[in-house]
Amino acid sequence: MDCCDPIYNALHDYTRALSVALGYRDWQTRLHSERVRALSKEIGLACGLTSAELSILKIAASFHDIGKIGVPDHILMKPTELDADEWACMKQHPVIGAKIMASIEIEGAQQAAQAILHHHESFDGQGYPHGIAGEDIPICARIIAVADSYDAISVRRSYHDRRPHPEVMEILRMEAQDRTKHDPEVMKCFIRVIESGRFDLGEA
Ligand SMILES: [Fe+2]
């Protein structure tokens, strides 16, 4: 992957091994992570993030789901809906992922860990794991959340077919308009990226 504000080169090099490990454990999650990273970067640029923030964003987006390494196969690979206990286990992945990233004690890792920890928070405070809201959620986490939702909704999963692009955009727009899941300002940047045609999701 391309990188980076030079100060974060070491973090980038260290985390490359994590990406390989994730691919061996769960190839689909690695592919998803690469798409989310590419879209997050475009949204970050549209939102006017600094070079340092973009570096953190790209690393955090690449590994936002690295904590799934700690989720058992029978839950991670389950082709049908998860039950309540299984969801509780799955919801630990941001916490596990943040611990993995934070254990890399080099420049930028703590900020990346915070973005990973909070990538499933909702703008209205109804997300997880901490239920924080609004601008208490790190900007990188708010951006990853939008890119993650777009990819999860639009790309074929084992339990539903790929949805057409206008339908995906409508779902995301509604989530932003009633200020529930996503930051409306980040959504504006996301919509500008998609409508500009700069980002091609391609085929999954
Ligand atoms: Fe996730």
Side-chain angles (χ1 to χ4, degrees):
M1 63 188 164
D2 65 313
C3 206
C4 247
D5 195 307
I7 198 170
Y8 299 115
N9 280 346
L11 182 59
H12 170 253
D13 290 345
Y14 274 85
T15 51
R16 193 162 33 213
L18 280 180
S19 178
V20 174
L22 180 60
Y24 275 106
R25 177 73 205 287
D26 178 0
W27 184 245
Q28 287 305 319
T29 296
R30 180 173 178 186
L31 295 179
H32 161 74
S33 300
E34 288 175 358
R35 291 189 302 266
V36 168
R37 176 191 167 282
L39 180 53
S40 294
K41 175 188 156 194
E42 294 298 332
I43 299 170
L45 284 167
C47 288
L49 262 55
T50 65
S51 167
E53 287 172 328
L54 279 171
S55 296
I56 297 297
L57 174 63
K58 288 187 280 185
I59 289 168
S62 295
F63 304 109
H64 68 284
D65 276 343
I66 192 73
K68 287 185 177 176
I69 282 176
V71 176
D73 273 349
H74 72 274
I75 297 174
L76 193 61
M77 310 295 180
K78 189 175 179 183
T80 53
E81 299 275 346
L82 302 181
D83 67 26
D85 287 344
E86 290 164 340
W87 260 119
C89 181
M90 185 67 102
K91 283 180 170 180
Q92 285 302 303
H93 80 269
V95 178
I96 298 167
K99 284 181 181 167
I100 292 170
M101 181 59 71
S103 72
I104 306 169
E105 293 179 348
I106 52 181
E107 184 86 30
Q110 298 306 318
Q111 295 102 303
Q114 285 299 302
I116 290 169
L117 178 63
H118 294 301
H119 79 272
H120 282 293
E121 306 286 1
S122 287
F123 203 64
D124 64 356
Q126 297 301 305
Y128 62 90
H130 291 175
I132 58 175
E135 295 188 1
D136 286 345
I137 305 167
I139 181 65
C140 291
R142 280 178 268 149
I143 290 172
I144 293 168
V146 170
D148 191 22
S149 287
Y150 181 77
D151 194 67
I153 295 168
S154 65
V155 170
R156 180 190 293 272
R157 290 287 178 87
S158 55
Y159 46 84
H160 64 66
D161 288 339
R162 187 180 175 118
R163 294 176 196 263
H165 175 73
E167 190 183 329
V168 174
M169 294 298 287
E170 191 52 34
I171 292 169
L172 291 172
R173 245 190 214 110
M174 284 174 62
E175 285 180 346
Q177 269 171 6
D178 58 11
R179 298 178 70 86
T180 53
K181 188 167 183 185
H182 295 302
D183 178 345
E185 294 304 314
V186 172
M187 278 301 298
K188 283 180 197 166
C189 297
F190 162 72
I191 289 165
R192 281 210 305 276
V193 168
I194 296 298
E195 291 182 347
S196 74
R198 284 204 306 274
F199 182 79
D200 178 14
L201 189 68
E203 291 300 312

